[in-house]
Amino acid sequence: MGKGRVFHIGAVLSLVWLIGWLVAWEAFVAPLQPGSWLLALKALPLLLPLRGVIKRDLYTLQWSSMLILIYFAEGAVRAWADTNPLSRQMAIGEVVLVVAFYACALLYLRPFKKDAQRMAKELLDKVKVPHG
C-alpha cells in the first residue's frame, strides 16, 4: 500500500470519525444543555466535502483542509473553557481528529503540488519567461 493511499484512507477515516464524534458529543455524550441536540448540527458542513474526499478530488481536499480549521478552533476553545470534564475530553478528541485529517490531507496533496510546480517551471522554461 503506497503512502498516498494511506494518507487518503487516513483523511477519509478521520473525517467520518469526526462527523460521528461531533454528533455523539452534542447529542448524547455531553450536550451543552441536557436534552439539547441542536448543536450536533455543527457536523453538517463536514458532509459537504465528504464525497469529494472519498473520491480523492484534489480541489475538495484543499478547501476542506481550510474548512476543518474552524473545528480546530472550536475544539481548542472548548477544551480550554468548558467546565464539564467529559465535554473537555470530547473537545480534545475533536482537536486530535481535526489534526489527523489536516495532516493526512496535506500529506496526500503534497506530491500533486510538487508535480504542478515542476510542470509550471518546465512550461516557463519552454517559453523563456524569467522566473525566480
Side-chain angles (χ1 to χ4, degrees):
M1 185 181 305
K3 282 194 280 187
R5 183 164 165 81
V6 169
F7 294 138
H8 174 250
I9 290 171
V12 171
L13 291 178
S14 58
L15 183 60
V16 170
W17 196 358
L18 179 62
I19 292 167
W21 187 268
L22 294 174
V23 171
W25 176 14
E26 300 298 351
F28 310 110
V29 177
L32 218 46
Q33 296 177 355
S36 174
W37 56 269
L38 285 176
L39 203 52
L41 296 176
K42 70 182 178 187
L44 284 179
L46 293 175
L47 293 175
L48 295 173
L50 185 59
R51 183 174 184 220
V53 171
I54 290 170
K55 289 185 155 205
R56 300 178 181 177
D57 181 65
L58 300 181
Y59 182 71
T60 302
L61 280 156
Q62 289 172 341
W63 68 259
S64 64
S65 68
M66 296 298 106
L67 170 71
I68 204 86
L69 295 177
I70 296 168
Y71 293 89
F72 177 84
E74 190 248 354
V77 168
R78 293 208 38 202
W80 178 266
D82 234 331
T83 55
N84 181 346
L86 186 55
S87 188
R88 277 187 171 179
Q89 291 174 351
M90 295 299 286
I92 291 168
E94 176 183 16
V95 168
V96 168
L97 289 169
V98 166
V99 168
F101 175 81
Y102 189 76
C104 287
L106 291 185
L107 290 169
Y108 179 77
L109 290 167
R110 189 173 185 198
F112 295 100
K113 182 179 178 185
K114 285 186 177 186
D115 285 345
Q117 288 173 339
R118 181 188 47 76
M119 289 188 321
K121 184 181 180 307
E122 288 173 3
L123 180 62
L124 290 174
D125 288 342
K126 283 182 182 177
V127 294
K128 304 285 188 213
V129 174
H131 60 280

